[in-house]
Amino acid sequence: MKKQFPIGAWIYHFNIDTIKEKDVIDWVECGINITLSPVYDEKINKKSKMIKFLNICKKHGIQIILRDTRSIYDGANKNQELYKENFIKAYKDFGSHPAVFGFYLGDEPSGEELKQDLIFAHKTQLEVAPNLKPFVNFLPHSEKVLKWLDETLPNIDIKQLSYDRYSQMIVKPEENFEYVNHFYENLRLYKEIADKKGVPLWTTVLSTGHMPYLPVDEDSINWQLNVAVALGCKSVWWYTIYGFVDQLNYRKAPINCFNEKTIIN
């Protein structure tokens, strides 16, 4: 695939058995060139369905972080032999496909147990699949998170440092400007950590209003993207492209829960 600036999106709600090429084309129209696959469970899903999906993504120039239940870090350290055995199978099934960027480890880990799970799972993925880049996304900055990262990152050979932050889209920003400042502070702190590790910084910004976060308009899309790139990010992801029917107060997603495209102004 030709080299592009990686623009990603957190895409959750598709089933590998029902996803269509039209859906992938929608992602391309959104500017997406890297994203997550639907979840694959070898006990439930057919391998051929995932291969078909990966072929479609390759056709349209999209790289995939593959969400295979055999790659998730939860419990990896307690069941080391089983995790490695299962991940070897996952790699044999999909790891050589040209659309696969890497396998998904998990999102926003915290605590001692998940720390050890992540360390073992990440190391195992690199041993089994040295040609791929394991993917884990970290929590926004706090003193507790920084301490956790200080204890964890020396033990894993991360290939990119990824985190998310949405406070820049807080309601009434003129009254809550400290939350907007957190956006800039996170970019600075995570860039320092990424530079220390010698890896690219990836960040996730907001494209769908929810909870106390505003829906986006053209200006806020441009602002978030350009600030992230100007401050050193080498990949920017959107949360999220699709709206949810039954979660919190998600609103004005780029593609709503009826699969209709949102016109912004």
Side-chain angles (χ1 to χ4, degrees), residues 93-111:
D93 284 344
F94 307 118
S96 63
H97 196 286
V100 175
F101 176 89
F103 282 84
Y104 180 77
L105 284 156
D107 184 33
E108 299 186 340
S110 63

Side-chain angles (χ1 to χ4, degrees), residues 169-185:
M169 292 301 297
I170 192 74
V171 297
K172 298 183 179 179
E174 68 281 359
E175 298 176 13
N176 297 292
F177 199 74
E178 70 272 20
Y179 291 95
V180 180
N181 281 339
H182 291 164
F183 172 56
Y184 292 101
E185 183 181 43

Side-chain angles (χ1 to χ4, degrees), residues 15-31:
N15 185 304
I16 193 60
D17 294 323
T18 58
I19 194 166
K20 298 177 174 61
E21 184 168 7
K22 177 189 175 300
D23 301 313
V24 176
I25 292 171
D26 286 341
W27 306 346
V28 174
E29 290 181 358
C30 288

Side-chain angles (χ1 to χ4, degrees), residues 14-19 37-40 45-46 49-50 53:
F14 283 102
N15 185 304
I16 193 60
D17 294 323
T18 58
I19 194 166
S37 75
V39 174
Y40 176 83
N45 306 117
K46 293 181 179 179
K49 294 285 188 177
M50 180 59 78
F53 168 73

